[in-house]
Amino acid sequence: MSTTNTLTAPAAQFAAQEYDGPALVLDGVGKRFGDAYAVRDVSFELEQGTFLTMLGPSGSGKSTTLNMIAGFLEPTTGSILLRGRDITTLLPNKRDIGMVFQNYSLFPHMSVLRNVAFPLEVRGVKRREAAAKAAAALELVELGHRAKALPKELSGGQQQRVALARAIVFEPDLLLMDEPLGALDKRLRENMQISIKNIAEQLNSTVVFVTHDQEEALVMSDQIAIYNNGGIEQYGTSQDLYENPASVFVADFIGESNILRGTMRQGALEVEGQAFPIPSRSVGRFAESERAAIVVRPEQVTLRSRHSRPDTALVKGPEVQGTVREVIYLGTAYRFYVACDLGFEIEVRVRRHLPEGQTRKGERVSVSWSPDDMSLVPSDQN
Ligand SMILES: Nc1ncnc2c1ncn2[C@@H]1O[C@H](COP(=O)(O)OP(=O)(O)OP(=O)(O)O)[C@@H](O)[C@H]1O
Ligand SMILES: [Mg+2]
């Protein structure tokens, strides 16, 4: 990444002396279309320089939220503050927000440089100064050498870099991106994820990024908002969400998980007649007879087979007997599906150098996990 650009830090940064509150605040924001709320009661605060990803299934309200922040939609409820200023009903072009969409929407008849200079020109910046800043922004996305090209002469990934340069060239207070990498192939997407993250860090930009790819969210974000059905189901760092999912929905959406639903009995969760001790942090959170669910990640499960060394068997919870239904070799690990005698199935992930790698389909095994390596969440079913 070039470090010799003349693009200064965002306006937000040198204005920081006058304002040091949160960069973006959403307070009870909702949007109704007809009778139905597409977004309801969304609230969060972002510090300057934070990278937030909105992650959730199709139709959960991510783009609607983004479009309200951008000013393309007016909220039905709540308010939006950008660097302390209420922008809830302000026109989009008065907001100082850069945007990148899935389709790059570059002007086909303008050179790459003019495309990037365009937002400055509409803001009344003189042509020469605009061109110099555009050239610096192109350096930042490593496309300085293609300034004279037309958009159609560039690849999809390069066009998306141009769109990114155009979004950052006027040093916006906030950068919004709605599935900007959705149209790119996997390899290119992974490269772009890293460059977007680096550029955002270099400029200390506050970013709201939308995706429905959980891996992308984990790679890029400081904070993740998991959307479900128009609202934020859980908000936190990647690690919070992975290690302490608040619901079955979040556990299912981030990473892989085994979910066992049961009933609280005498301080343990009873599943198919077997009592499972609960994590110490969950003690007292569920009442006797309440329905709840265990979430345990495949890599937290200990598998014991006849190949296991006795000293590697760190059995800390109840051992459940079962039969290996399927073994999948993943290169760096093995994935086992164990059909347990109690009636449920458990997925286990084992690093490949362990002797469990010799365990085959049809073998009898046992699985267990430590109560503190799992989460206990409200059940989504009765
Ligand atoms: N202009 C509109 N008029 C009526 N309903 C709308 C409008 N825009 C969005 N919706 C509805 O609002 C809900 C949320 O849509 P939104 O586009 O925010 O979802 P999303 O999370 O961005 O989904 P995706 O991942 O598919 O892009 C959907 O049910 C959608 O049909
Ligand atoms: Mg969308």
Side-chain angles (χ1 to χ4, degrees), residues 33-289:
F33 293 114
D35 300 338
Y37 273 87
V39 170
R40 68 182 94 84
D41 199 25
V42 164
S43 300
F44 59 79
E45 280 190 24
L46 289 185
E47 293 307 315
Q48 177 72 39
T50 306
F51 199 116
L52 168 70
T53 296
M54 293 176 175
L55 175 68
S58 186
S60 58
K62 306 178 299 292
S63 295
T64 304
T65 307
L66 208 71
N67 287 330
M68 288 190 280
I69 301 172
F72 302 132
L73 286 174
E74 194 172 313
T76 313
T77 66
S79 54
I80 302 174
L81 276 74
L82 184 60
R83 297 182 51 73
R85 182 169 67 131
D86 190 327
I87 59 161
T88 314
T89 58
L90 201 67
L91 287 171
N93 59 357
K94 300 269 186 276
R95 294 191 180 202
D96 252 337
I97 292 177
M99 283 212 70
V100 184
F101 300 96
Q102 180 168 346
N103 54 341
Y104 332 118
S105 56
L106 301 174
F107 298 116
H109 58 286
M110 285 186 192
S111 71
V112 161
L113 186 78
R114 289 248 14 242
N115 262 285
V116 177
F118 187 76
L120 294 170
E121 288 176 16
V122 298
R123 283 171 173 77
V125 177
K126 295 220 175 59
R127 194 134 174 194
R128 266 183 66 179
E129 190 188 338
K133 287 201 166 176
L138 280 172
E139 283 299 329
L140 204 56
V141 298
E142 297 179 329
L143 277 177
H145 60 294
R146 300 308 304 272
K148 292 198 181 103
L150 288 173
K152 66 168 188 229
E153 294 165 339
L154 304 183
S155 71
Q158 289 170 328
Q159 290 185 44
Q160 197 54 302
R161 283 173 204 266
V162 176
L164 177 61
R166 185 182 54 183
I168 59 179
V169 74
F170 60 94
E171 301 169 10
D173 288 336
L174 180 67
L175 198 52
L176 303 179
M177 299 195 225
D178 197 349
E179 309 231 15
L181 310 180
L184 307 180
D185 67 45
K186 185 171 153 53
R187 187 66 181 276
L188 200 52
R189 210 163 66 209
E190 285 169 2
N191 289 338
M192 282 294 286
Q193 286 166 2
I194 305 295
S195 37
I196 291 176
K197 192 174 156 65
N198 285 342
I199 290 167
E201 271 169 20
Q202 231 173 309
L203 299 176
N204 192 31
S205 307
T206 309
V207 181
V208 182
F209 184 96
V210 170
T211 183
H212 53 243
D213 179 338
Q214 55 123 345
E215 243 172 83
E216 190 159 284
L218 292 176
V219 168
M220 305 198 68
S221 325
D222 300 315
Q223 300 286 330
I224 300 178
I226 303 280
Y227 266 71
N228 184 16
N229 205 8
I232 295 179
E233 177 102 4
Q234 193 175 356
Y235 185 98
T237 64
S238 323
Q239 205 178 345
D240 288 339
L241 299 181
Y242 191 81
E243 291 176 9
N244 291 307
S247 63
V248 169
F249 180 86
V250 172
D252 236 1
F253 214 83
I254 294 256
E256 283 164 19
S257 36
N258 293 293
I259 293 164
L260 299 180
R261 297 171 182 87
T263 306
M264 291 300 295
R265 301 260 181 253
Q266 298 173 331
L269 189 74
E270 193 180 286
V271 183
E272 307 292 347
Q274 166 78 53
F276 289 92
I278 66 172
S280 41
R281 64 182 187 280
S282 302
V283 170
R285 284 186 42 222
F286 293 86
E288 178 74 9
S289 307

